[in-house]
Amino acid sequence: MHVPDVSVIVIAYNDAERLPTAVRSVLEQTLHGVEVVIVDDCSKDDTFTVAQALAAESPDRVRAFQLPQNSGGCGAPRNHGIRQATGTYVMFLDSDDVLERNACRNMLDAAESTGSDLVSGLCVRVHLDSRRKKTTEWYPWLYARTRTIESITELSDLLVFDTLSTNKCYRRAFLLEQGLEFPVGIHYEDLLFSAQAYVAARRITLIPNHVYYWNVQESAAAKSISNRRHEIANFVHRMEIHRRVDALLESRGYDELKYRKDIKFLKHDLVLHLRDLHLLGDDYRREFAALANGYLAEIDPRAYEEVQRMHAICAYLLSKEDWANLLPATDALTNPGRLTAPLAERDGQVYWCAEHLDTEQGRQILDVSSSRYDSKPLTALALGNRLTSYSSTAGIVRLAGRVVNPLGRIRPEAELGAVLEFAARRSVGGRTARIPITTLRHAGAWIEWEGEADIARAVRPLGVIDAVWDVRLILTVDGQTLRTRVSAGGTPVDEAGSLRIRPRLTTLVSDRFMPQVTRKGNLSYVLTAEGRAAVHTTAMIEGAMHGRAARLAKTGLRRLLRARKELNSGETKLRVYHEVYSRLPIRKGLVVFESHLGKQYSDSPRAVYEEMRRQGVSFGAVWSYAGGTPTGFPEDATLVRRWSWAYLRALAQAEFWIDNQGFPLRLAKRPGTTYIQTWHGTALKRMGFDEPHTKSRGLAAQTSFQQALDRFDHFLIRGEHDRRTLARAFRLRDEVLLPVGYPRNDVLVEARRAEERTGRRERGPLAAELGIDPEKQVLLYAPTFRAAPGGKVRAFEAPFDIEEFADRFGDTHTLLIRTHYLNSVSLPASVRGRVVDVSRLHDVTPLLALADGLITDYSSVMFDYGLLDRPMVFFAYDYDEYAEENRGTYFDLKEHAPGPVVATEEELFGVIANLPDEADAKYAAARQRFNADFSEYDRGDAARRIVSTFFTGSGK
């Protein structure tokens, strides 16, 4: 008898409808040597009958079994399937999910070629409730490439994050030899089974292929186990599984794995339950705290330092059972960025609350100074706003609440105003109703408000498409507008009952406004049909909701919404750009400038623009900006938002495009338009077609990328290194290259010349603007871009102790921190005046000119700063990872660096203590070589030469 390559164990319970789809996804695999073992967990519906029919249709490939009684979980049916399987390898599939068509083949090939006991592939969550069935990959950074490990200790993130059993293929002999089975009678069995398999496996292979489609339906009538977090038994099971996994790791001496798992528990497992606490009663909270705190007491205290501040705060306050401070913290956890506590200030530090500050651990965990709540503009803070009372009588709603006043920043004498806003979440034209507040008063740590609304008069919904309405309080403080979402905050709102409403279309569809609390704990209203609709039969209501009049109204509204959406869609804009705007005449003298994808008024495009203004060139200036209201852009230019209609038209009709990164890739440049690409830095890390990610993309993607690069008519280079690296990586023709240097660096070259002529360094107005003591040395820390796992943008965390720097060097130095424009940083209040965040300044060049020394890692600012011939220090604490495991580099920084390369905080501080001697005179010759190797064309006249060549006709 032929032994199947893979046995796929499909478990089912009361799922007769979806089971055939799951089984079909196995039978249609491109690998033919696959058998299906269906195990029904004693269903009450026709699931087993369907399973038997599937077996009868494919008797040589499908077998069906039924457990004698329901086990209540996934463990027992999967264990039975393992015993019945005959394949060399085993996989698991739930009846409501499906396998990717090539899953078995890809898994088998990886297992056979590597001899691995376990192969794991990429799982994809399919959100069935979303309108377009949105998909999200499950921890994709783990599966960025194929790799094989000999022990789970080589990749702790695999055990910590990917605890699924279903995206994996197991050697059946391995399962039997190790006696691996799922625990029975307890939920979250995957966590324990996966941990046991990871620990026991002699070799594990990860493949970057999609293998499993996990169908997720949040609104399902019967909630999955993971969605029944309001049941205390659910948390009991989770805690028991975690303890068993911990015992397994401790028995193997895997302390580091246990530590990493503790971190995940704080920021994931515990958070899942904390988010629901505001919806649950005191009895649940007491039981929950008793269970959680017993486990929290065993967690490595270091784990609190590795999670987001609010995760640590919530866990700590839970351990103290401080509900008064914990519930606002869970609100902030559920609504990231929302400030829900009035805070406390002690000795220059800001804390979440005034309690628990008598211990070092309490002060450390509750310290929120780095969030800059004390210095950010009030308009930049999302202030918490909690209901304190709610009632309704005869259609009149009375609400009262209080808004957080952090550290008393809203002064008692401030001029206050407020309105309640009821806004339809989905509507045509953004329907809103605003109702004045009747009482508004300053109450120390809070701003208290009261209001009442005649809902039937104030709110007139259409009644079909605008079914959900959100409530906000719009607060004005001395003319500043603060928008706050109204949180229910534990105040019961449903007890007040529904309110009569008069929809504009028909009361047969809905005639009541029902208050509800959203999943994030905020107050909202939902249109329902009670009142008049209730006196009609169900058939009449159905007729009204689905009849011709309602159908026409819905169709018309949907068409309008669809038309508006399509009009502003990317595809429509591309079509209009190419078919309409690109046929308009090119406007002579129209120049479109863009810097860093519209995020800044900076860099070489700015230098060229300002040189054109200085020379009196007559031209039409357009600057693009990204996001909301533009700030810092020139007032004498036309500003257009990136991807707006005005932006597209300007690009289509421009005589010149000038930018430093790339206009949208899919916009073709017209033959009559000249594209001057200034670029934004000499390359250390590999770029373009030299980059591994680009090489791995398909032919179509590579062709599209090359077409975008071919739009460049001129590409600025600052040295022959650029010709050998950037130009080659972008496959640019030699005649495209302009060896004139970077316009942004003209001021740096001139600053060095002026310093050499006069013998003194001019700091200019920026130093005074930043409040820098003229007697102090200025150091600029400018690291390269840092991404979170998976390439996502994240807040930057300094790799050295900023407070330690301020304590050691703050009397003699001022440290400026300038993150990459895609990152951001928050500084503790304790370093104010000694360390300054300058990341919001658009242009880095004035900061380079100001700094007496530069600290960087791999940022291209090293090449610009080198022109000043001043000390540089390279804090390359992760050099091997960056150079070898990231994108690779064009040269070894350690060999060419014009300053000391250090890897630890102690080394960094040691070099700083000896500046300027350590990194100045000692490396003077190295700086000269560095400039000669990378910046030979930066002569201080790049902007003038470009303007002369292209705009005044006086250059070559």
Side-chain angles (χ1 to χ4, degrees), residues 934-951:
F934 300 107
S935 310
E936 61 261 46
Y937 300 143
D938 275 322
R939 304 186 184 98
D941 60 353
R944 180 181 58 77
R945 293 177 65 184
I946 289 172
V947 173
S948 298
T949 300
F950 297 102
F951 300 103

Side-chain angles (χ1 to χ4, degrees), residues 59 100 230 246 264 285 343 351 373 386 389 394 428 525 582 597 634 835 867 884 901 939:
E100 195 275 336
H230 62 283
D246 290 347
K264 190 207 174 190
R285 291 174 189 166
L343 309 177
Y351 299 96
Y373 293 132
R386 302 185 73 189
S389 68
V428 179
Y525 288 85
S582 292
L597 309 180
V835 182
L867 296 169
E884 297 174 14
V901 180
R939 304 186 184 98

Side-chain angles (χ1 to χ4, degrees), residues 88 95 175 210 235 288 352 406-407 588 620 745 761 826 844 864 885 946:
T88 306
S95 60
L175 296 180
H210 290 176
F235 192 60
F288 174 79
W352 181 256
L407 301 172
K588 291 296 181 183
N745 289 336
R761 185 169 299 169
S826 294
V844 72
D864 305 318
E885 297 182 18
I946 289 172

